[in-house]
Amino acid sequence: MSTINFTIDGKACKAKPGQTIVEAAKDNGIYIPTLCHFEGLKPAGTCRICTVKVGGRNMAACTTPVTEGMVVENKTADLEDYRKAIIEMLFVEGNHMCPTCEKSGNCELQALGYRYMMMAPRFPFLFPRRTLDASLPKIVIERNRCVQCLRCVRGITTADGKRIFGVVNRGGHVEITVDKDLAASMTDEMAQKAMDLCPVGAILKKEVGFAIPIGKRKFDSKPIGSEIEKA
Amino acid sequence: MASLDAVVKQVVSKYGNDRTRLMDIITDVQTELGCVSDEAVAQIAKILDLSKVDVEGVITFYHFFTKTPRGKYTVYLNNSAVANMKGRAAIAKAFEDAVGCSFGRTTSDGLIGLYDTSCIGMNDQEPAAIINGVVFTNLTQEKVKEIVTGMKAGKDVKDLVKEYGDGANQSDLIRAMVKNNIMRKGPVLFAPYEQGSAIKAALSKKPEDVIEEIKIANLRGRGGAGFPTGMKWEFCRKAEGAKHYVICNADEGEPGTFKDRVILTELPHMLFEGMAIAGYAVGAQEGIIYLRAEYLYLKKYLEKVLEDLRAKNILGKNIAGKGFDFDIRIQMGAGAYVCGEESALIESAEGKRGEPRNRPPFPVQKGYLGYPTTVNNVETLCCAVRIMLEGGEWFAKMGTAQSKGTKLLSVSGDCQNPGIYEVEFGTTVNTLLEMVGGRTAKAVQVGGPSGTCISKKDFGRRICFDDLATGGSIIIIGPDRDLFEIVHNFMDFFVEESCGWCVPCRAGNVILKQKLEKIMSGKASTKDVQELEDWCKIVKATSRCGLGQTSPNPIYTTIQNFREMYEAKVKKDTDYVSTFDLLAAVEESCKAAGRIPKVEEH
Amino acid sequence: MSKPVVATASLAGCFGCHMSILDIDDRILKLIELVEFNKSPIDDIKTFTKQCDIGLIEGGCCNSENVENLKLFRKNCKILISVGECAIMGGLPAMRNGIPVKECLEEAYLKCPTVDDNIIPNDDELPMILDRVYPCHEIVKIDYFLPGCPPRADLIWEALVALLTGKELELPYEVVKFD
């Protein structure tokens, strides 16, 4: 297969045909921050944190395929500020009480907050009233923390291909919910997968929590994306 | 009454147990049962072999679908800015007083529900409401009383319509009180034409030559975005697919636009013929017209028009004996502004939540059911008819360098003659204001809330893609209006209509609206205005589709063009003003505890 | 030259942030050399006796007393810093936000299985409860924010030193945490 040549912030990069900008950037040792993106799932482009500039236009790097000669701007001051702003929007849009959250330290939203040195969001907190569903046998859905990335919706299906998770309502009222009958049939493995897919603490496997001590969690000492970035 | 199971089963089988017809299935189940309850959701999901969340997700996305009963009579009262200008508040109160419940609720006996709804395409005859699909315009408090009395007496809503509008509004299949208000006829849309003559002209050429003619005309999409139609058709024609589709976007949801309503009422033959021409050009045999739910009152009439066209062999098999087959079906929407975005419209037509798709692939590559699809505006397709008859060169003689032909404008607000105007592209706002009797305007909203709010200094600008682009909505704002109220109404609209998929649009619009409210309350500083402007840019830059990319415009363009209005509201000697009000903050807890709040002056 | 003056307060907080200030270990001796404390639980000075340079606020505002106290700090401190999650976004107490305060009071004082006098406290001496917990920067202007629950001692130390010496604040990744 032919190789596609393109640049990110002036650096010459190579991509395989069909690769998105996010995937190709990773292969070239460049981190483009993402939240809703998850390797192996169909890109959704919900969070917009991966917004880059291509030919003067803002595009989501997770849904945009690389084309020959593409000139991608990634780490400009404007784009970095947009990304920080989106992270801040997410923090004020939900009720993110990090100190009480089982996912703290392993949470990708929080890790992005760290990476972008969010000391306090620029936007006022919205404090929405959201619900928690602990009625399911294997998992808890804590909607206060949900960022509507749709990873669970995209990634968890029954053996015959039915979606267990789905979205209801629209606009600021959208929420993740489940087909209760299908969710009742979830195995431990599926519950674990759902929890692992969730970038925040909105889907938790029941009867486990705080398993990793503070200091040893995923983002305690290394910023998100540092595994991709080459020195 | 048939059991729920039986109703659902019958409805689903009517649509061939086809999952992609979920919009129609939900519509019909709701019509039969009053709502689509959890039980009905489970049944639909079971028969279609779907997850219940798939069905529930669709129901809860659309404004007119409901899981709980909204009354035997459901009143949807338009809450657009122009409705407010024309006295909506008094009408709403008249409804509440007469019905005995507040908006957002249904009476305890389940008889009447009162609900708000976004612009229903009647801005030239507001206040207006839709009751069980029937449109009531120019509402007065007396009319409301009569209507409510009628509902309480159990009358058929249709029988509550006392007068009929002009033209086809009077026809047996419409019988609506809606008026056309055609104020200015132009050469493209309203010149006479002979049905069938345009498709015949098209069929006498090669499809490529039809596209070429459209290109010579330099026809651009009339929905507002202005994409070159010829190029769209060419992309679609060249895209590989077992079949191709033509979809007419009759989901005009931009507040203040109603021009398609008039075309659908008076020129549906022309529109459908235009779809056939598009079908021939792109190689499609199937067309879908996606009709907004607010225009349900036109559906039977449009079906009859389709029948007529089939009878005349303008649609159907072997059209005009030239071996071209093309037919059209009507797909009803269910209340979602975002479905005006072409990929969201396709999702909706496929029976899903109307969420825009990620691009690429573009609809011309992979559209309806994955097949190459051209989605065109109602007016655009009518233009194609005229171009087939008069030629591209004739068409291109009108207009400006980048905008050829005429544009149908929906004019409403503070003017003497609201209605539709077919004007040549390049007409200045001043000229238009003269035409419509709106010379006193202090502001004009060009292109609806997602467009631009201009002040007097810009009234010399031209309406065209090269300057002030518009899908047709022109709202005239008189000298005594509080522009903040209008901007706020527009932001309410976008908050309500955001699909919720992407963060900046979902959360950003709420944040922008809140900041606007802070400024409106007078508890703000110059810094708040600066932040508001900066935040508008963030939402515009990062949102996924046109909705979020333009939703900050009411704020953004008024900050640019009416900065003095913002400056008059804010304190200039400080960069921080709190909105906190201690007395208000303790009120509820003191009441609960039975104590009198004591707040020192400070 | 006189030393910069620091004041501290815990509003709707748990004093954990104050504990974290003490957690700077032996640097506390250096701190005493660098600054003078005024109104603060650390030295038990109850009222402001002079204008202060820096005010450290722990906790958000859940009642009228918090609001008064915070405004007093704003008046008496040149620089005001929100220290910790509660000051920044309400923190744990703000988990009641979104729920009407009436419901909260009823749950706590009327419906709760462990109460038997069934009265919502209403003595005029008690602070009045706010409809929700407010982050400090919604009530007064806040100049800086130090996140964490509690903020790491190193973060508080580095921030104070930077402010007092006018040096650029360079924080290592490990010190900015939200838990």
Side-chain angles (χ1 to χ4, degrees):
Chain A
M1 277 250 228
S2 58
T3 305
I4 299 170
N5 294 293
F6 73 112
T7 65
I8 299 179
D9 292 334
K11 188 192 163 195
C13 297
K14 291 187 188 308
K16 291 175 220 140
Q19 268 190 319
T20 63
I21 299 174
V22 161
E23 292 162 347
K26 187 182 173 191
D27 286 354
N28 287 275
I30 294 169
Y31 174 67
I32 297 174
T34 58
L35 181 64
C36 67
H37 176 72
F38 195 89
E39 228 173 279
L41 296 184
K42 190 183 172 204
T46 67
C47 77
R48 319 308 288 173
I49 288 169
C50 67
T51 299
V52 292
K53 211 160 216 171
V54 180
R57 286 178 72 113
N58 297 306
M59 320 272 264
C62 73
T63 58
T64 309
V66 179
T67 54
E68 181 64 35
M70 199 179 236
V71 177
V72 179
E73 291 174 64
N74 175 38
K75 250 192 155 173
T76 67
D78 275 356
L79 289 170
E80 288 286 87
D81 185 56
Y82 294 160
R83 291 163 182 172
K84 191 175 185 187
I86 293 170
I87 294 160
E88 291 171 354
M89 280 182 199
L90 284 166
F91 268 96
V92 302
E93 185 201 27
N95 296 310
H96 297 278
M97 309 282 174
C98 293
T100 70
C101 181
E102 294 84 343
K103 204 65 174 268
S104 191
N106 299 306
C107 166
E108 291 174 40
L109 176 64
Q110 188 190 54
L112 286 164
Y114 296 162
R115 186 179 170 108
Y116 281 87
M117 280 291 217
M118 182 191 83
M119 303 304 262
R122 73 193 74 177
F123 310 111
F125 289 93
L126 300 178
F127 296 118
R129 187 173 194 176
R130 293 200 186 160
T131 57
L132 179 150
D133 187 354
S135 70
L136 305 163
K138 296 285 181 196
I139 55 167
V140 175
I141 301 179
E142 187 11 332
R143 297 192 177 96
N144 286 291
R145 304 166 182 169
C146 181
V147 291
Q148 277 90 32
C149 66
L150 311 185
R151 284 191 192 174
C152 55
V153 176
R154 288 176 280 156
I156 306 291
T157 48
T158 58
D160 60 346
K162 282 195 194 124
R163 296 199 302 187
I164 294 179
F165 294 85
V167 195
V168 291
N169 304 329
R170 79 175 180 213
H173 302 288
V174 290
E175 57 179 47
I176 297 295
T177 193
V178 289
D179 181 316
K180 287 211 170 193
D181 297 325
L182 298 180
S185 67
M186 281 174 88
T187 60
D188 279 316
E189 291 71 40
M190 283 166 93
Q192 185 64 47
K193 189 182 168 197
M195 179 170 169
D196 294 342
L197 277 178
C198 183
V200 291
I203 300 174
L204 301 167
K205 190 163 179 274
K206 277 189 172 172
E207 296 170 12
V208 281
F210 302 109
I212 311 168
I214 292 179
K216 299 207 164 161
R217 300 168 306 180
K218 202 169 171 188
F219 303 115
D220 279 339
S221 53
K222 273 182 288 181
I224 189 168
S226 58
E227 73 285 1
I228 292 174
E229 288 167 306
K230 286 180 186 155
Chain B
M1 198 174 136
S3 75
L4 182 143
D5 282 11
V7 168
V8 171
K9 205 171 173 187
Q10 192 244 325
V11 168
V12 179
S13 73
K14 178 178 158 194
Y15 293 102
N17 290 8
D18 181 355
R19 185 241 180 278
T20 68
R21 300 302 296 275
L22 196 51
M23 293 289 285
D24 306 283
I25 292 168
I26 293 168
T27 303
D28 285 12
V29 168
Q30 184 167 309
T31 307
E32 291 289 321
L33 302 172
C35 69
V36 190
S37 62
D38 282 334
E39 236 186 312
V41 168
Q43 265 303 314
I44 295 171
K46 196 177 151 198
I47 304 176
L48 292 177
D49 197 29
L50 288 171
S51 163
K52 290 196 284 277
V53 287
D54 287 327
V55 180
E56 198 183 348
V58 174
I59 294 168
T60 55
F61 187 85
Y62 297 94
H63 188 61
F64 297 115
F65 288 156
T66 177
K67 287 183 68 189
T68 51
R70 286 186 186 164
K72 184 180 166 214
Y73 299 97
T74 316
V75 178
Y76 287 103
L77 182 62
N78 182 12
N79 62 5
S80 75
V82 171
N84 286 343
M85 289 181 189
K86 303 294 170 187
R88 179 192 188 273
I91 298 305
K93 189 167 182 306
F95 267 116
E96 290 184 334
D97 290 348
V99 170
C101 82
S102 56
F103 268 82
R105 292 173 188 281
T106 302
T107 51
S108 51
D109 60 1
L111 186 69
I112 304 173
L114 298 179
Y115 296 89
D116 291 326
T117 198
S118 300
C119 193
I120 60 172
M122 300 289 159
N123 252 11
D124 54 341
Q125 39 211 308
E126 288 293 338
I130 300 173
I131 306 175
N132 294 9
V134 179
V135 180
F136 292 83
T137 59
N138 287 320
L139 287 167
T140 61
Q141 296 181 48
E142 288 68 39
K143 276 193 201 171
V144 169
K145 273 184 209 153
E146 276 175 43
I147 291 167
V148 175
T149 306
M151 291 193 290
K152 284 186 171 170
K155 287 193 180 160
D156 190 328
V157 181
K158 276 202 177 120
D159 299 336
L160 300 175
V161 177
K162 303 287 184 212
E163 65 215 284
Y164 299 110
D166 51 341
N169 288 301
Q170 298 175 357
S171 75
D172 284 346
L173 292 168
I174 301 183
R175 299 280 246 178
M177 64 194 292
V178 179
K179 292 193 179 77
N180 286 325
N181 292 327
I182 303 169
M183 295 295 164
R184 187 186 164 93
K185 294 184 175 184
V188 175
L189 297 163
F190 287 103
Y193 101 102
E194 192 193 328
Q195 281 178 36
S197 57
I199 185 69
K200 270 180 209 147
L203 292 176
S204 67
K205 300 174 199 256
K206 284 191 292 185
E208 290 81 359
D209 294 339
V210 170
I211 293 173
E212 191 52 35
E213 201 64 43
I214 299 293
K215 281 185 172 176
I216 291 167
N218 200 3
L219 176 63
R220 296 174 65 173
R222 262 46 177 169
F227 192 84
T229 307
M231 210 191 279
K232 193 182 246 187
W233 287 4
E234 187 171 42
F235 286 148
C236 185
R237 174 165 188 82
K238 286 184 176 166
E240 276 178 42
K243 43 182 174 171
H244 289 58
Y245 277 94
V246 172
I247 297 184
C248 169
N249 183 346
D251 192 45
E252 60 170 346
E254 188 72 38
T257 184
F258 46 83
K259 61 167 183 89
D260 293 344
R261 175 197 87 210
V262 181
I263 294 178
L264 291 162
T265 309
E266 297 302 328
L267 305 169
H269 319 78
M270 191 178 189
L271 166 63
F272 293 141
E273 195 168 336
M275 287 178 73
I277 293 165
Y280 178 66
V282 305
Q285 297 183 354
E286 291 172 66
I288 298 169
I289 172 167
Y290 185 96
L291 186 65
R292 69 188 306 230
E294 290 81 351
Y295 296 165
L296 177 68
Y297 75 100
L298 295 171
K299 190 181 177 214
K300 277 189 187 149
Y301 168 73
L302 294 174
E303 274 167 351
K304 176 70 170 48
V305 172
L306 289 173
E307 284 288 314
D308 290 349
L309 291 173
R310 284 177 200 121
K312 291 177 188 162
N313 196 222
I314 296 171
L315 289 177
K317 298 275 178 206
N318 190 22
I319 293 170
K322 303 266 187 177
F324 170 60
D325 299 345
F326 188 79
D327 212 333
I328 297 169
R329 79 168 173 92
I330 300 173
Q331 174 65 58
M332 290 308 299
Y337 167 70
V338 72
C339 289
E341 196 279 344
E342 61 176 2
S343 66
L345 183 148
I346 291 171
E347 285 284 299
S348 182
E350 288 179 2
K352 298 186 217 148
R353 293 166 62 83
E355 293 157 334
R357 292 176 177 174
N358 290 312
R359 284 166 296 187
F362 292 89
V364 286
Q365 302 164 297
K366 273 181 180 225
Y368 183 66
L369 305 178
Y371 299 110
T373 304
T374 177
V375 181
N376 294 109
N377 178 266
V378 169
E379 187 185 343
T380 313
L381 291 160
C382 290
C383 291
V385 169
R386 187 66 62 191
I387 291 165
M388 285 306 112
L389 294 175
E390 306 288 346
E393 276 178 28
W394 172 86
F395 189 85
K397 275 185 196 138
M398 291 174 284
T400 67
Q402 291 163 47
S403 316
K404 303 300 183 190
T406 62
K407 182 78 193 87
L408 195 55
L409 302 174
S410 316
V411 181
S412 65
D414 296 315
C415 61
Q416 284 159 15
N417 304 304
I420 61 159
Y421 293 77
E422 186 184 348
V423 300
E424 194 171 336
F425 266 121
T427 302
T428 66
V429 175
N430 262 327
T431 310
L432 184 69
L433 287 173
E434 287 287 332
M435 232 182 262
V436 306
R439 260 168 299 177
T440 57
K442 74 167 175 188
V444 177
Q445 187 74 33
V446 182
S450 71
T452 310
C453 186
I454 58 166
S455 65
K456 278 196 167 130
K457 71 173 167 50
D458 287 327
F459 286 180
R461 289 176 64 184
R462 297 169 307 151
I463 294 167
C464 55
F465 297 113
D466 339 26
D467 190 2
L468 287 167
T470 174
S473 169
I474 306 279
I475 298 169
I476 295 167
I477 299 161
D480 302 327
R481 298 291 176 192
D482 181 352
L483 195 50
F484 271 123
E485 290 297 331
I486 293 168
V487 174
H488 188 261
N489 173 283
F490 290 165
M491 292 314 293
D492 264 338
F493 169 77
F494 287 122
V495 166
E496 168 69 25
E497 297 295 338
S498 166
C499 81
W501 181 280
C502 76
V503 180
C505 178
R506 183 181 72 224
N509 283 314
V510 176
I511 290 166
L512 292 180
K513 193 181 119 188
Q514 206 178 57
K515 190 75 154 181
L516 176 73
E517 285 164 358
K518 184 175 197 279
I519 292 168
M520 287 171 73
S521 76
K523 290 177 175 176
S525 69
T526 315
K527 195 178 168 208
D528 286 301
V529 179
Q530 187 55 53
E531 283 179 345
L532 183 57
E533 193 175 0
D534 291 343
W535 299 355
C536 284
K537 287 182 199 159
I538 295 169
V539 174
K540 284 167 74 71
T542 56
S543 288
R544 193 166 78 112
C545 80
L547 198 161
Q549 287 158 9
T550 58
S551 60
N553 281 352
I555 296 174
Y556 190 66
T557 64
T558 49
I559 290 181
Q560 289 184 328
N561 296 329
F562 297 88
R563 193 173 286 273
E564 66 287 352
M565 172 180 93
Y566 285 84
E567 276 170 2
K569 277 277 184 192
V570 300
K571 297 185 170 69
K572 296 203 176 58
D573 53 347
T574 174
D575 66 351
Y576 178 90
V577 184
S578 169
T579 53
F580 182 73
D581 177 348
L582 184 57
L583 200 58
V586 299
E587 192 187 342
E588 191 188 343
S589 76
C590 285
K591 202 174 157 199
R595 61 189 280 197
I596 298 153
K598 277 186 194 153
V599 175
E600 286 164 42
E601 292 290 318
H602 39 247
Chain C
M1 206 176 84
S2 63
K3 289 196 275 188
V5 188
V6 174
T8 76
S10 179
L11 309 176
C14 69
F15 273 95
C17 298
H18 274 79
M19 293 299 121
S20 202
I21 296 173
L22 300 179
D23 210 22
I24 58 177
D25 298 331
D26 56 345
R27 285 172 291 185
I28 194 118
L29 299 172
K30 248 194 231 169
L31 186 63
I32 300 295
E33 270 173 35
L34 273 173
V35 304
E36 170 193 335
F37 276 89
N38 199 270
K39 179 176 161 60
S40 168
I42 291 174
D43 55 16
D44 212 18
I45 297 177
K46 307 277 192 208
T47 51
F48 280 105
T49 59
K50 58 164 91 164
Q51 268 305 111
C52 299
D53 296 285
I54 297 172
L56 302 176
I57 304 293
E58 166 188 342
C61 292
C62 79
N63 63 34
S64 54
E65 188 187 81
N66 297 150
V67 173
E68 280 160 35
N69 213 353
L70 180 61
K71 285 182 173 169
L72 196 64
F73 263 75
R74 182 66 273 183
K75 210 183 266 176
N76 287 281
C77 302
K78 264 189 238 155
I79 293 169
L80 209 53
I81 305 177
S82 273
V83 181
E85 292 303 304
C86 299
I88 292 172
M89 52 79 71
L92 278 195
M95 288 180 89
R96 77 165 163 97
N97 289 9
I99 302 168
V101 67
K102 186 165 178 272
E103 265 180 57
C104 295
L105 291 169
E106 284 170 358
E107 186 65 33
Y109 295 108
L110 306 180
K111 292 182 192 159
C112 173
T114 56
V115 295
D116 61 2
D117 52 353
N118 289 359
I119 178 169
I120 298 172
N122 60 4
D123 194 295
D124 272 349
E125 289 300 304
L126 293 170
M128 295 171 289
I129 307 287
L130 307 184
D131 55 344
R132 62 177 173 91
V133 179
Y134 290 76
C136 291
H137 62 271
E138 286 190 25
I139 311 232
V140 300
K141 186 185 176 185
I142 297 290
D143 302 293
Y144 298 101
F145 302 87
L146 300 177
C149 185
R152 304 296 182 266
D154 284 344
L155 174 62
I156 300 172
W157 172 254
E158 294 293 340
L160 276 179
V161 169
L163 266 180
L164 294 168
T165 60
K167 272 187 208 151
E168 189 91 358
L169 182 61
E170 272 187 41
L171 297 171
Y173 175 78
E174 287 81 1
V175 306
V176 178
K177 291 284 175 290
F178 304 155
D179 62 358

